[in-house]
Amino acid sequence: MDNNKFVEVKNLRKVYDNGHEAIKNVSFSVKKGDLVCLLGPSGCGKTTILNMLAGLLNPTEGDILFNGKSVIKVAPKDRHIGYVFQNYALYPHMTVLQNVMFPLIVGANKKSKAEAKEIATKYMELTQITELADQKPGNLSGGQQQRVAIARALVQEPQILLMDEPLSNLDARLRLKIREEIRSLVKTVGITTLFVTHDQEEALSIGDKIILFNDGIIQQDDLGQNFYLEPNNYFVANFVGNPVIDNFKVTKTANEIKSSQFTINLADMEQSRFKRELPDGEYVLSVRPENIVPDPDGLFETKVDDIELIGRERILKFTFDNQQVRSLINLEAPIKHGDVVKLKMRLNRVFLFTPEGERVY
Amino acid sequence: MKRIRLGVLFSYIILFIFAVITVFPFIYMILGGLMSFQETTSIPPTLIPHHFEWSNYATVFARAPFGRYFFNTVLTASVTTIVSLFNSLLGAFAMVNLRFKGKGLIQLVLLSLLMVPGEAIIFTNYNTIAHMGLLNTYVGLVLPFLTSIFYMYYLQSYFGSISDTIYKAAMIDGASDWDYIWKILVPMSKGGLFTVGLLSFISGWNSFLWPLLVTNEDTMRLLNNGLSAFASDAGSETQLQLAAATLTVLPILILYLIFRKQIIKGVVRNDLKG
Amino acid sequence: MKTNQKKAWLFLAPTIIFVTLFSIYPILRAFGMSFQGGSLIDLHWNGFSNYQYIFNDPEFWLAIKNTVLYAVISVPVGLAISIMLAWIIFDKVKHKSFFETTFFMPYVTSTIAIGIVFRYIFNGDYGMLNFLLRSLHLPAPDWIDDPAMSLTTIIIFGIWSSLAFNIVILMGALRNIDPNFYTIADMYGASGRDKFWRITMPELVPTIAFLLTMNVIGAFKIYTSVYALFNGQAGVGNSGTTAVFYIYNKFQIVGTPGVAMAATVILFLIILFATFLQRKMMKKVGEN
C-alpha cells in the first residue's frame, strides 16, 4: 500500500451522451490525509471528476484506485466515501438528527437506532450542531446546513471526503470562517479530502496541494505557491493571481525582446530561467502587477489612467497596446491620477510564453 | 371616478349571477330531495319545502340497493387509486432518477398515449374484459385503470422538481432504490401524492361509461350507474331522483370542501384533467 | 452508476404491462376491428364496408353534426365566460379563493347527478327555468321534450359544466403574471382596459390555447351529460345524438362492433385534426 497514492486516477476520460468530451486525459494522485483542491473555471470538468470518484458517473475510459484497488465497478455506497454537495442535499422532511443518522440506518450494514444515534451525536458535536438536532433543514442558515451536510458525510467514517463547491452558497464573511473550520475539521479527523472550487483564493488557503483544470485536462498539479511563482503555462499564469497578471505582446530578435514601447536586452534576463533555446518570433511577456513598479530608471514611460484603492495597496492602471495594464504600489507612494511615471520590471520574475501558451522563461 | 365604480358594480353583478347559476343546482338538488311529490311539480315551483320529507331517503334505500352501490364505488375507487398511485410512483421514479436505454422511447410512447381519448379504447377494452370472463366482477371494473399515464406524468414533474443531488446523496449514504422511494421520495412528495390520490378517487367515484359497459347486474353497479337506472325507474318521482342524486354528490362534495386547497392546487399545477 | 440501469424496467413493468394491454392493444384492435364485420364473437374481414356504411348513414352525420356544433358553440362561449369571470375574480374581488372554490364545484361532482337536477330545472311544465322565463314574459320552450331544443339544452349544460376547470386554470395563469407588469403600466398611466388587452390577454395566450385544446377534445367526447339530461336517451327521437352515443349504440345495442370502431377511428381523426388546427392557429396568434 502506497500512502502517497491513496487516491489514484489514471488516464481518466469522460464523454457525455451528447458527445461532449468533459474530461480528456486526466491522471493524478492524492496522499493519504491530504486536503487537495480541484480548481478551475466553471465547466472545466472538476465536478465531473468528483462525480466519477464518487461513482455517480461512469468514466468512458481510465481507472480510479482507492487504496491501491480499482473502484470502477464498485457502487457509490461501497466506496467508503462521504460527499458534500454544493446545495447540501439535506433531506427536507427529516430533522437534523435524522439526516445525520440516515446513512447509518439504511443499506446492508445498518446499525441499531441507539448505536446510530450515538455515532451521529459524536459527529454533530464535532461540527457543533448538537443543539440543532430537532430542527428541520428549512429552518437553518446556510452555514448551519453546511455543517449538517458535513456531519452526514462524515458519519459513516469514510476514508475519503469529497466536497463539491461547499462554500459557494455562503456569504463572503461566513465563507472565510467555514473554510478554516473545514480545514481544521478534516485535519482533526485525518480524512483524505478532495475539495472542488472555482475560487483560487479558497483553494490557495485551504489546500495542501491544488490541481488546476481547464478544458478537461490538468493544467498544473502543484503546491499552492507554485501556481503563483512558477505557473506551468499561460492559462495558469492568468487564472491565478489577483489583480490578474499583465501581458505584453513582444517580438524576440537575436539579442533583444521588443514591444511597442520597450526593449529588453536578452543579456539582462536570468539565463538559467530559460527552459529551452528560443527561436526568433512572437511571444507573450507576462509579469505580475507587483513586479512592475514605478522607478526613475524604468523601462518605459506611461500616463496613469486611474488609481484603485484595494485595502493596503493601490493599483495603478495604464494603457498599453490598447489594453489595460496594472501595477501594484503601496499606499504611501506619491503618485496621482494623470501623472506620467516610468515603470520597471523585475526581470527575474517575468514569464515568457509562446503564442500557444507554453512557458519558455 | 364614478364610471370606474359603475364598472366594478357591473362586474359584481355578473359575478353574483354566475355564482348563483353555479351553486343553485346543488342547493336545489338538496332541497328538492326533501320535497313532497306535490311540491316538486307545483306551479309556481317550490323553492323551500314546507316540511322536510326525510322519508324520501328511506324510500330510495328501499327501492334500490344504494348501500351496495356505495360499497362498490368506495371499493373500486379506492383500489384503483391505491394501485394506480403505487404503479405511477414506481414508474415515475424510474423515469426521473434512473438512466437506461429506451427511456426516451418510453417517454414518447406514453406522451402520445396521453393524447388518445379514453372513449376511443373503452369499447375494445370491454371486449378484452369480456374475453377474460370478467364482466360483472370487481376485477373487471378496476383492471384497465390500475395504471394511469396521466398520474405518472404528473408525479414525474413533481419528482423532477426535487434536486437530483438528493438522490445522489441517498446513494452515497447507502440507501437502496427501495429505501429512497419510501424513506425520501414519498415523504418529500406527500402533498403531490395526496392530491393525485384525491383526484383519482374523485374520478373513480364519478366514473360512468366503463361500469355501464362491464356490469349489468344490479349488485355490481356503481353509484352513478345505480343512480341513472334509479332515475329511469323512478320516472316522474322527481323528489326521489333528487334525493338519490344528493346521496351520490354529497360525499364527494364534502371531501372537496375539506380538501379544496389541495385539489385546486393539484389541478392547476399540472393542468390535470381527472 | 451504470449508464444503463436495467432495473428501471422492473419499476416500469406494471405500467408497461397495463398500458400495453389496455391502451396500446385496444388502439390497434379498434383499428383492426373497423375493417371487420359481424358480431363480437364472429368477426370477419370486410374491407372498407364499415366506413362506407357510416358515411351513408344519416344518423352518423347527425351525430357528427351535433358533436361539431356542440364543440363550435359551447367551447368558445364557455371559454369567453370563463375568461370574464376569472378576470373579475382576479382583478376586483377580495375573497378570490372563496369564488374559486365555488366555481370549481361542478368539476368534482357527478355529471349524472347534476344532469338529473338540470332535467328538473329545465322541465317544460314545472321547471324553475321556464317559471323564471314566463315571469319575465320571455318564450318558454320545452327544453327536454322538444327535439328542436335538444342540442341547445345540451350546449347550455355543457357551458355550465366547462366553467369550473377553465376558471381555475385561468386563475392559476393570472396569478403567474408578473405583478410588476401592472405596476409599470400604472406608472405610464395605462387604463384598466389597456392593461387587460395589452398585458393580461397576451400573457394568457398559452393557457387559452391549452384550454381550447382540452375543451375541444372534451366536447368531441361528449356522452355522459347527454345521457344524464335525457335519462339514458340521446334526446327525443335521438335528436341529440353525439359521436360517442353513435359508437355506443352500434357497439352495444345494435351489435355491430366493426361499424362502431370505424366511427371511433373517424372521431379520433377529427380530434387529431382539430388539435392540430388549433396549434397552428394559436401559433399565429402568438406571433402577432
Side-chain angles (χ1 to χ4, degrees), chain A residues 55-56 58, chain C residues 1-3:
Chain A
L56 297 169
N58 263 5
Chain C
M1 264 179 271
K2 291 199 209 95
T3 5

Side-chain angles (χ1 to χ4, degrees), chain C residues 174-239:
Chain C
L174 287 169
R175 286 201 180 95
N176 271 341
I177 299 177
D178 187 342
N180 288 334
F181 291 172
Y182 296 109
T183 315
I184 293 167
D186 281 335
M187 281 179 358
Y188 288 113
S191 69
R193 180 181 302 207
D194 283 339
K195 280 189 280 183
F196 180 77
W197 288 107
R198 289 177 188 264
I199 299 173
T200 313
M201 279 309 268
E203 288 284 314
L204 285 184
V205 165
T207 308
I208 293 174
F210 164 78
L211 287 176
L212 258 181
T213 312
M214 293 299 281
N215 284 340
V216 166
I217 293 176
F220 276 110
K221 302 192 305 191
I222 180 173
Y223 173 78
T224 312
S225 60
V226 181
Y227 189 103
L229 271 178
F230 301 105
N231 212 354
Q233 307 300 312
V236 173
N238 254 353
S239 54

Side-chain angles (χ1 to χ4, degrees), chain C residues 248-259:
Chain C
Y248 182 84
N249 195 36
K250 291 295 175 211
F251 190 89
Q252 200 75 339
I253 316 283
V254 183
T256 49
V259 174

Side-chain angles (χ1 to χ4, degrees), chain A residues 50-69:
Chain A
L50 209 64
N51 276 325
M52 289 195 283
L53 286 170
L56 297 169
L57 268 181
N58 263 5
T60 312
E61 279 168 39
D63 203 357
I64 297 169
L65 297 94
F66 290 170
N67 215 350
K69 288 188 206 88

Side-chain angles (χ1 to χ4, degrees), chain C residues 65-81 151-152 154-156 158-159 162 212 215-216 219-220:
Chain C
K65 193 189 103 188
N66 281 342
T67 309
V68 171
L69 268 178
Y70 172 78
V72 166
I73 298 170
S74 76
V75 171
V77 173
L79 201 51
I81 296 175
L151 192 59
T152 314
I154 296 169
I155 288 172
I156 293 174
I159 293 172
S162 74
L212 258 181
N215 284 340
V216 166
F220 276 110

Side-chain angles (χ1 to χ4, degrees), chain B residues 236-256:
Chain B
S236 58
E237 289 174 282
T238 313
Q239 78 284 9
L240 296 183
Q241 295 183 10
L242 293 176
T246 308
L247 279 177
T248 310
V249 169
L250 218 51
I252 225 68
L253 211 55
I254 289 167
L255 197 69
Y256 165 65

